[in-house]
Amino acid sequence: MRLLLIADTHVPKRARDLPGRVWDEVATADVVIHAGDWVEPALLDTLEVRVQRLIACWGNNDGDELRRRLPERADVTLDGLRFTVTHETGASTGRDARMAKAYPDTDVLVFGHSHIPWDTTTKTGLRLLNPGSPTDRRRQEFCTYMTATVRDATLCDVVLHRLERHA
């Protein structure tokens, strides 16, 4: 099962649309995971039509309509692997221990908010993934997104992809 992980798209405020490479990934993904900060519902509408399966939550920049349509936290099991998708996880200092305690029944926690890519595994085995942002690099050198594969209840082939700054 091929996954595309994105967050902090901020369309249309930070970019008019997702970069073409991300749309190419959408076309080949079995599951698209979006960890919040859509800003406007139009991108959600488009993804719902174009993806095989969408797992998503709202972020702190998302208004009432997005909050009505999406949960603050999405939990799903994919091929035996338990995922949680949420937007904010707080400060990076102590994140691994805090999240391991907060999500004891999760195998993979996908989050956003910082626009800073993150890939760690806690002492309890919880994998934390932040794909960064494909549209707003903020203090990062590149805009980013992630792809991964779930096979036999195992997360593998996690790749952080770099994009040129998107206009």
Side-chain angles (χ1 to χ4, degrees):
M1 180 180 303
R2 184 166 164 70
L3 310 180
L4 168 63
L5 287 65
I6 55 177
D8 298 292
T9 48
H10 294 270
V11 171
K13 295 200 177 193
R14 303 282 168 86
R16 289 183 296 273
D17 196 4
L18 294 179
R21 276 183 50 201
V22 175
W23 282 119
D24 291 345
E25 297 282 3
V26 165
T28 62
D30 297 305
V31 178
V32 174
I33 297 175
H34 191 302
D37 271 4
W38 303 76
V39 178
E40 297 291 334
L43 179 59
L44 174 59
D45 295 338
T46 302
L47 278 174
E48 286 178 330
V49 171
R50 293 178 70 174
V51 301
Q52 292 185 43
R53 185 169 185 191
L54 177 65
I55 301 161
C57 66
W58 55 261
N60 63 299
N61 283 294
D62 297 330
D64 291 342
E65 183 178 344
L66 286 161
R67 289 174 189 229
R68 274 193 305 275
R69 293 173 60 185
L70 297 168
E72 182 176 7
R73 170 184 168 170
D75 292 285
V76 66
T77 300
L78 301 172
D79 195 18
L81 201 62
R82 300 166 302 176
F83 283 79
T84 296
V85 182
T86 192
H87 186 62
E88 295 188 54
T89 59
S92 61
T93 303
R95 178 180 287 142
D96 285 7
R98 268 194 334 274
M99 295 304 102
K101 186 176 180 181
Y103 300 98
D105 298 323
T106 297
D107 299 310
V108 180
L109 176 65
V110 180
F111 66 98
H113 188 61
S114 68
H115 299 218
I116 299 170
W118 187 277
D119 182 354
T120 57
T121 302
T122 69
K123 291 178 183 177
T124 64
L126 173 66
R127 182 86 175 257
L128 284 80
L129 298 174
N130 182 332
S133 171
T135 57
D136 183 15
R137 64 188 180 99
R138 211 175 266 176
R139 296 173 302 278
Q140 303 306 296
E141 188 175 355
F142 297 96
C143 290
T144 57
Y145 66 93
M146 286 179 172
T147 56
T149 304
V150 177
R151 187 178 310 116
D152 299 322
T154 303
L155 184 70
C156 41
D157 309 319
V158 176
V159 177
L160 178 69
H161 300 269
R162 294 177 170 185
L163 296 161
E164 295 302 315
R165 189 169 187 179
H166 186 63

